[in-house]
Amino acid sequence: MAKNLLIVESPAKAKTIEGYLGSDFMVRSSYGHIRDLVKTDDAIDVNNNFTQRYEVPADKKAVVSELKKLAKEAEMVWLASDEDREGEAISWHLFETLGLKDEKTKRIVFHEITKPAILKAIDSPRTIDYNLVYAQQARRVLDRLVGFELSPILWKKVKPSLSAGRVQSVAVRLIVEREREINKFIPIAAYKVTAIFSTGKVKEIFKAELPERFDTESEATDFLNACLDATYKVTSVESKPTKRNPSAPFTTSTLQQEASRKLGFSVSRTMLIAQKLYESGKITYMRTDSVNLSDTALEAATNEINNAYGEKYHQQRKYKTKSAGAQEAHEAIRPTYFDVHSIDGDASEKRLYELIWKRSIASQMSEAQFEKTTAKISISTRKENFTATGEVMKFDGFLKVYMESSDDDQDQEINLDEDADNALLPPLSKDQSLINQEIKATERYSRPPSRYTEASLVKKLEELGIGRPSTYAPTISTVQNRGYVIKEDREGKSRNFNVFTLAKSTVVKDIKTEMTGAEKSKLFPTDIGAVVNDFLVQHFKGIVDFHFTASVEKEFDEIANGLKDWTEMLKAFYSPFHKEVENTLLNAEKARGERDLGEEPETGKKVSVRIGRYGPFVQIGDTEGEEKPRYASLRSGQMIETITMDEAMELFRLPKVVGTFEEKDMTVAIGRFGPYVRHNSVFHSLPKGVDPHSVTEEACIEIIKEKRQKDAEKLIKTFDEDPTVKILNGRWGPYIEYGKANVKIPKDKEASELTFAEVKVLFDAAEKEPKKATKKFAKKK
């Protein structure tokens, strides 16, 4: 039996660490938290200093039992959970649950899983930091109180089965308010003017732009007409050096943002992969606010840059954390070994590791140097000047390895050719005459604020001081799982715009089309998300107030630093909050998000839209009339706040007959499992992206034929003895359909050659096999 028992959070980490320590150490995993607050209302005693009742979940009892046995047999127990508040709390829970003694327990921390780091941690143990434990308890208790007291109000006042949370509700508010900003936005058109000039020499052609924009078509055409007989001259040429510096190494937030932009990863996927990389010893700890690199890391980066790229590419940099309330003293996210440029693993792990390696190494590289040239060009018939710019790279520096992306990179609509910059201007001199080849005035529209991506929402939460590295991913997952927010792509709408071109002494008008408003992987509020947000803003403004939520985070930091008593902080919060809860239960009206759209033209009946038990719907008529109201669910992308009367009436045009096929009607409708076409009592699902309101007769016939073709390919054999018995092609190979039973075909049997007698034997054998026990789930209370 080993003298020392070392307990970490994950089995992957345990396996890696065990290889670094000798036979005196046994490394085991707690598999995260080993206990949690009980699920009942009495989990927290608010009248007794917020005392908590904990329980070991059923799935952790075996783990706890084994750890207790091993802890009793060991001479020393080492608690090696992660180096943050959550990790400190796990160590405390282990200490309490396993019945450990102070003299037999040591707490160690490390931010990278390497042999030197582990041995160094063993050489410098400490005790459990109870200030960090209290900060984690304060957060856990406050969030439980908010959730347990707000959720029943939402069940009564909005809709059953809803829930609320402190940070999650703020995230939903940000998304709802951004959506409303976009809905209110009215685009303004203006004309951007670009020109193509030539020096008269072959290939010496470049672009220039008018800094001013024209508000109207007449102003733009007046300018172009004035240029018909104009001459153009270079009035000034200025060249100056510019430089660009690398970004700091990754924090949790910036890694999530950059992995989203460059790799298309969701926030939760990024954290899952980063966790694997950390636990296998490839990167440092992945939950951090710090941009700092250790002296050891700086030295390793220096050696690698000098060896791989040369000394002129190296420039040591020390970054300081700007994030408000940054906590935990460990490093930025970096590779454990800088000389390891790539790793083994699946494609996602390789790509994320490469991103972390590039960002880390680039942070210690020289600045990129450019020469920027700006030329101003006069127009003899106008007072305005064209400006041409060109930039040439003199030294690539850190750009040899890495270039940071921005959120705007994803949001750009399709650029016109005239939007591109010159890479390099031809040699130009003051007073030089130029030849104009073409001038374009293009109508461009102002753009609304961008909807949030998962990554840009993390960035906003961090800017506001809301949440911490460990909370970003679960917050974003929670608001989507609760149905308050949906992440999806949406198609844009086509929009015409004018282009006036001056070429060959004439001005020509052209009407072009662009797609606008297309969205990819953006966060949209659902109707229920908007209604819940409005209810909370009205009755619990403090809970969803950005400044309040950020100030709570600061108080957690103060508790972690031993500057504030956690129970006093909770008392100051809970008393007014609980009064607000009681007042709202008594006085608040039920929130339905209802909106009247008008009257149905044919009948004069009221048309309204609101939230129902199964989601948002349109209603024609009311329950008090003699006739029953008619209902229709809103389609994907439609919202209570923005749906128009015409769009609402369109929902009632289904089911409808779109034509006939083989002398039978084809009826299109929307059912429980989505839109479909019914023909000869057979249902055929409409493919994704096909609009049931506009699908044509020809398209429906094609869908029916394709379904028949697939069904024919699925059928291998039937039997005259019993036509209901079939041999079919399934997802996992051929099988027998015998009445309501499906029977496997042995691997040594050829499906198409089976006789009815053989099929019956296989069926009888399958019937005699003992049935597998199915898991029974407890009924919902």
Side-chain angles (χ1 to χ4, degrees):
M1 181 64 205
K3 292 179 183 178
N4 298 279
L5 172 65
L6 190 143
I7 305 173
V8 293
E9 290 181 30
S10 75
K13 196 189 295 185
K15 190 177 179 183
T16 309
I17 292 171
E18 200 160 42
Y20 298 143
L21 299 172
S23 58
D24 282 350
F25 278 83
M26 175 187 288
V27 185
R28 289 291 182 269
S29 167
S30 70
Y31 295 85
H33 276 282
I34 58 161
R35 67 176 187 176
D36 197 4
L37 292 170
V38 297
K39 304 294 183 193
T40 50
D41 292 347
D42 60 348
I44 298 156
D45 187 348
V46 295
N47 298 315
N48 185 21
N49 276 338
F50 301 95
T51 307
Q52 303 117 59
R53 286 184 59 223
Y54 289 101
E55 65 179 354
V56 177
D59 62 338
K60 288 295 178 74
K61 284 185 176 173
V63 174
V64 170
S65 179
E66 187 201 7
L67 291 176
K68 269 186 180 177
K69 178 177 175 291
L70 294 172
K72 277 182 182 177
E73 295 169 355
E75 292 178 16
M76 184 64 66
V77 177
W78 302 74
L79 302 175
S81 50
D82 290 340
E83 187 190 9
D84 55 17
R85 293 172 194 169
E86 209 67 34
E88 206 69 25
I90 288 173
S91 280
W92 174 71
H93 284 301
L94 283 166
F95 185 86
E96 294 282 313
T97 310
L98 303 182
L100 303 179
K101 305 292 182 188
D102 286 330
E103 61 273 13
K104 272 189 65 176
T105 308
K106 291 182 179 179
R107 168 82 169 113
I108 61 169
V109 292
F110 41 82
H111 60 266
E112 65 182 38
I113 302 176
T114 60
K115 189 170 183 176
I118 303 301
L119 295 177
K120 185 179 177 183
I122 294 285
D123 288 338
S124 51
R126 61 172 173 81
T127 56
I128 291 170
D129 186 336
Y130 281 91
N131 288 328
L132 291 179
V133 175
Y134 296 148
Q136 190 273 345
Q137 277 187 305
R139 178 191 292 279
R140 186 76 184 88
V141 169
L142 190 146
D143 287 348
R144 169 62 76 92
L145 291 172
V146 169
F148 260 54
E149 299 215 3
L150 282 189
S151 297
I153 295 178
L154 296 180
W155 303 342
K156 290 179 182 178
K157 303 295 182 180
V158 183
K159 184 174 171 274
S161 303
L162 296 177
S163 57
R166 183 179 56 88
V167 178
Q168 295 92 321
S169 296
V170 173
V172 173
R173 182 179 181 183
L174 284 168
I175 293 163
V176 169
E177 290 184 354
R178 178 59 58 87
E179 191 68 22
R180 286 172 178 163
E181 275 184 76
I182 294 166
N183 291 336
K184 288 176 185 174
F185 182 82
I186 299 171
I188 299 169
Y191 285 83
K192 175 182 178 179
V193 180
T194 56
I196 297 176
F197 289 107
S198 167
T199 63
K201 293 181 181 178
V202 178
K203 294 186 179 179
E204 289 195 349
I205 297 171
F206 63 96
K207 291 172 187 165
E209 184 178 327
L210 208 65
E212 301 89 348
R213 295 205 176 192
F214 298 116
D215 294 334
T216 64
E217 181 180 319
S218 61
E219 287 176 329
T221 52
D222 286 349
F223 174 82
L224 293 181
N225 286 321
C227 291
L228 281 168
D229 301 315
T231 57
Y232 305 91
K233 188 189 289 184
V234 178
T235 58
S236 68
V237 181
E238 184 183 349
S239 292
K240 62 179 180 179
T242 61
K243 60 185 180 181
R244 201 177 304 165
N245 289 313
S247 301
F250 282 131
T251 61
T252 302
S253 164
T254 54
L255 175 64
Q256 289 169 348
Q257 292 167 49
E258 197 72 340
S260 172
R261 299 177 194 126
K262 274 190 158 64
L263 309 179
F265 289 176
S266 68
V267 167
S268 57
R269 186 181 178 196
T270 297
M271 293 312 291
L272 196 66
I273 299 165
Q275 181 98 26
K276 286 183 184 176
L277 293 175
Y278 168 64
E279 289 175 352
S280 57
K282 295 181 175 74
I283 64 169
T284 54
Y285 192 52
M286 67 289 153
R287 292 192 183 96
T288 175
D289 287 327
S290 175
V291 290
N292 180 51
L293 292 178
S294 67
D295 291 339
T296 307
L298 291 173
E299 185 182 342
T302 301
N303 292 335
E304 190 54 33
I305 293 165
N306 290 342
N307 291 336
Y309 308 109
E311 289 184 15
K312 66 178 181 177
Y313 279 94
H314 175 252
Q315 183 178 336
Q316 191 175 99
R317 301 167 189 274
K318 292 192 176 182
Y319 297 89
K320 289 187 178 177
T321 303
K322 295 177 183 176
S323 172
Q327 63 181 32
E328 278 72 76
H330 40 71
E331 290 185 78
I333 304 168
R334 63 162 175 86
T336 310
Y337 304 104
F338 277 96
D339 57 350
V340 179
H341 293 215
S342 59
I343 58 163
D344 296 328
D346 65 31
S348 299
E349 289 171 28
K350 287 179 179 178
R351 292 174 73 201
L352 191 66
Y353 178 84
E354 185 181 306
L355 186 69
I356 293 167
W357 184 89
K358 285 181 175 179
R359 174 79 164 229
S360 304
I361 207 84
S363 75
Q364 299 303 310
M365 291 179 73
S366 306
E367 60 201 15
Q369 297 170 12
F370 301 86
E371 184 177 77
K372 187 173 184 178
T373 303
T374 304
K376 292 195 174 179
I377 301 154
S378 65
I379 311 160
S380 61
T381 55
R382 297 280 297 201
K383 66 180 189 306
E384 296 92 349
N385 287 310
F386 279 105
T387 300
T389 58
E391 190 174 67
V392 61
M393 185 187 292
K394 293 293 187 182
F395 177 61
D396 53 0
F398 76 92
L399 292 175
K400 193 174 192 72
V401 173
Y402 179 81
M403 182 181 286
E404 186 181 13
S405 301
S406 70
D407 291 318
D408 290 338
D409 294 346
Q410 291 185 322
D411 290 330
Q412 293 296 331
E413 292 174 7
I414 296 169
N415 283 331
L416 299 178
D417 290 339
E418 64 266 19
D419 288 339
D421 288 328
N422 300 291
L424 184 65
L425 288 177
L428 298 174
S429 59
K430 192 174 183 296
D431 297 329
Q432 180 180 354
S433 293
L434 298 172
I435 301 163
N436 170 240
Q437 295 193 340
E438 178 186 272
I439 302 178
K440 276 187 180 179
T442 305
E443 188 178 24
R444 307 310 286 150
Y445 287 86
S446 58
R447 293 169 56 209
S450 297
R451 288 182 175 89
Y452 288 108
T453 59
E454 286 191 358
S456 62
L457 181 61
V458 166
K459 185 179 179 182
K460 185 66 177 177
L461 290 170
E462 187 181 41
E463 285 173 2
L464 293 169
I466 295 167
R468 285 295 179 261
S470 59
T471 64
Y472 299 136
T475 294
I476 287 172
S477 296
T478 299
V479 297
Q480 293 179 67
N481 293 339
R482 286 179 175 171
Y484 295 156
V485 170
I486 186 169
K487 182 173 81 170
E488 63 183 10
D489 302 343
R490 289 195 184 170
E491 293 180 2
K493 295 179 181 177
S494 61
R495 175 173 67 192
N496 292 337
F497 64 96
N498 297 324
V499 179
F500 295 92
T501 306
L502 165 60
K504 298 180 181 177
S505 301
T506 57
V507 176
V508 177
K509 180 180 180 179
D510 193 11
I511 298 175
K512 294 189 176 182
T513 303
E514 64 182 350
M515 291 301 291
T516 181
E519 300 283 21
K520 186 169 178 60
S521 294
K522 292 293 179 70
L523 298 174
F524 296 84
T526 61
D527 283 300
I528 194 66
V531 171
V532 167
N533 173 71
D534 292 348
F535 182 84
L536 293 176
V537 168
Q538 183 181 351
H539 298 287
F540 296 94
K541 194 163 186 179
I543 293 296
V544 289
D545 180 78
F546 306 134
H547 300 297
F548 165 78
T549 312
S551 70
V552 167
E553 298 289 355
K554 285 181 184 175
E555 290 185 276
F556 292 149
D557 292 338
E558 289 171 3
I559 295 165
N561 292 319
L563 302 173
K564 180 168 272 193
D565 182 274
W566 71 281
T567 57
E568 293 302 318
M569 178 257 178
L570 288 174
K571 283 174 189 172
F573 162 80
Y574 183 71
S575 182
F577 168 68
H578 186 65
K579 285 178 185 173
E580 217 170 16
V581 167
E582 291 178 326
N583 181 53
T584 306
L585 271 171
L586 285 172
N587 302 315
E589 293 182 3
K590 199 169 173 71
R592 297 180 183 277
E594 190 166 356
R595 178 171 160 245
D596 290 340
L597 298 179
E599 295 180 349
E600 186 183 25
E602 294 83 3
T603 63
K605 290 180 179 177
K606 176 183 167 183
V607 180
S608 60
V609 58
R610 61 187 169 92
I611 293 280
R613 190 174 179 184
Y614 302 106
F617 65 92
V618 179
Q619 178 176 317
I620 299 177
D622 52 53
T623 51
E624 295 172 6
E626 292 180 10
E627 293 182 37
K628 283 186 177 180
R630 289 180 286 150
Y631 305 99
S633 295
L634 268 60
R635 292 156 64 188
S636 175
Q638 291 182 328
M639 284 193 73
I640 287 174
E641 292 181 25
T642 55
I643 190 169
T644 63
M645 182 69 169
D646 288 342
E647 289 168 340
M649 298 314 297
E650 182 73 24
L651 299 173
F652 290 92
R653 297 194 179 113
L654 294 179
K656 67 176 180 180
V657 175
V658 293
T660 57
F661 177 53
E662 297 173 347
E663 299 181 354
K664 301 273 186 181
D665 285 343
M666 295 181 293
T667 304
V668 172
I670 297 176
R672 187 180 171 190
F673 303 107
Y676 64 86
V677 55
R678 189 178 77 243
H679 174 258
N680 196 22
S681 300
V682 179
F683 295 83
H684 308 270
S685 294
L686 295 186
K688 191 176 181 181
V690 175
D691 187 349
H693 295 271
S694 57
V695 66
T696 62
E697 181 180 18
E698 292 76 14
C700 287
I701 292 170
E702 193 62 35
I703 289 164
I704 293 166
K705 285 181 176 178
E706 281 181 16
K707 176 75 162 53
R708 287 179 179 176
Q709 178 70 25
K710 283 181 182 176
D711 289 346
E713 290 169 358
K714 186 179 178 182
L715 182 67
I716 295 173
K717 191 173 186 179
T718 57
F719 300 93
D720 294 335
E721 294 91 332
D722 187 345
T724 64
V725 177
K726 301 170 187 172
I727 300 178
L728 302 171
N729 241 326
R731 189 175 174 185
W732 290 283
Y735 67 96
I736 301 163
E737 186 180 89
Y738 202 112
K740 290 185 178 180
N742 292 339
V743 181
K744 282 184 181 179
I745 297 173
K747 288 182 180 178
D748 59 344
K749 300 281 186 185
E750 180 59 48
S752 59
E753 294 175 6
L754 286 172
T755 64
F756 184 73
E758 288 173 316
V759 166
K760 197 168 186 317
V761 169
L762 289 172
F763 173 72
D764 291 341
E767 282 290 285
K768 290 174 184 174
E769 282 183 14
K771 298 287 183 286
K772 287 183 182 178
T774 55
K775 187 175 179 181
K776 292 184 179 179
F777 295 92
K779 288 183 179 178
K780 284 187 178 180
K781 291 181 182 178

